[in-house]
Amino acid sequence: MECLSQYPSLSQLKELRLIHILMWTTNLEPLGVLLEKVAATLETLTLKDCQIQDSQLRLLLPALSHCSQLTTLSFYGNSISISALQSLLQHLIGLSNLTHVLYPVPLESYEDIHGTLHLERLAYLHARLRELLCELGRPSMVWLSANPCPHCGDRTFYDPEPILCPCFMPN
C-alpha cells in the first residue's frame, strides 16, 4: 500500500480491487492514505473477503467518505459488527454518486463461528439498516451478502428479501 500510494499516476485511478488479501492483522493507515489520494477519481472500490474488522474499518471511514466519485463499493466478506456497518453507512450517505453497494452481513447475524446464518436475526438487522437509510434519505443503498455457507459454499444475498443458498431452501 505504501508503495502504491507513491505511484505518480495515482491521481487518475478509477478502480481499486483488493480481493482475498487478509488484512485483519494489517495496519490499514496506508490504505487510508491511498484512498485520500484517489478520492477525486476513484469510481469503484472492492475490498472483498479481506477479513477487515471494526477497528480497521473505522480507520478507513474518513478517507472513504471523501471519495466523491465512488459509484460502486463491494465490501462483503469482511468481519464487522452492526455498529461498524451503521458507521460505514453514515459515512457513505454523503456520496451522491454511490449507487451500487454490497455490504457484509453483520457478525450478529450468525448463529455460530462456522458461518451458519440466523435468518430471523438477519431479517431484524436488515430492517434496522433499511430504517437508518430511509431516515438518511438513501433507502435503496442496502445490499447485504453473507459469508459463504459452511455446507455448500454459496453466499446468501439479502435485498430486500433473502436470496438464499440451497441449504436454506425447503425440500
Side-chain angles (χ1 to χ4, degrees):
M1 289 300 157
E2 290 176 28
C3 292
L4 184 58
S5 67
Q6 296 172 14
Y7 192 71
S9 298
L10 192 62
S11 63
Q12 299 169 7
L13 186 68
K14 291 183 183 245
E15 184 172 338
L16 178 61
R17 293 179 187 262
L18 301 175
I19 301 171
H20 296 290
I21 299 172
L22 300 181
M23 297 185 186
W24 60 277
T25 61
T26 304
N27 176 4
L28 293 188
E29 286 180 34
L31 179 56
V33 170
L34 175 66
L35 290 174
E36 286 285 348
K37 289 184 177 183
V38 300
T41 59
L42 190 65
E43 296 173 2
T44 301
L45 177 60
T46 302
L47 297 171
K48 180 182 138 197
D49 292 322
C50 294
Q51 295 302 312
I52 294 172
Q53 298 177 352
D54 289 8
S55 59
Q56 294 169 307
L57 175 61
R58 286 189 176 91
L59 287 173
L60 295 178
L61 291 177
L64 193 54
S65 66
H66 291 118
C67 294
S68 59
Q69 301 305 309
L70 200 62
T71 61
T72 304
L73 172 64
S74 294
F75 190 69
Y76 64 97
N78 293 293
S79 304
I80 62 172
S81 67
I82 186 69
S83 171
L85 184 55
Q86 287 172 327
S87 292
L88 175 64
L89 294 175
Q90 290 171 332
H91 277 81
L92 297 177
I93 288 302
L95 302 178
S96 59
N97 293 332
L98 188 59
T99 56
H100 298 90
V101 186
L102 197 53
Y103 307 101
V105 165
L107 292 172
E108 294 87 347
S109 301
Y110 295 99
E111 289 183 17
D112 53 40
I113 61 171
H114 304 294
T116 305
L117 280 174
H118 187 287
L119 293 180
E120 292 83 23
R121 199 175 308 146
L122 174 59
Y124 172 76
L125 293 172
H126 186 261
R128 279 184 52 198
L129 292 173
R130 289 191 71 81
E131 285 175 19
L132 172 66
L133 287 169
C134 284
E135 290 171 14
L136 297 170
R138 299 289 295 274
S140 64
M141 229 173 78
V142 175
W143 254 97
L144 294 173
S145 171
N147 289 336
C149 173
H151 306 290
C152 70
D154 286 351
R155 290 185 188 266
T156 295
F157 291 94
Y158 205 101
D159 180 54
E161 297 299 321
I163 303 167
L164 299 172
C165 74
C167 298
F168 287 101
M169 303 306 236
N171 292 334

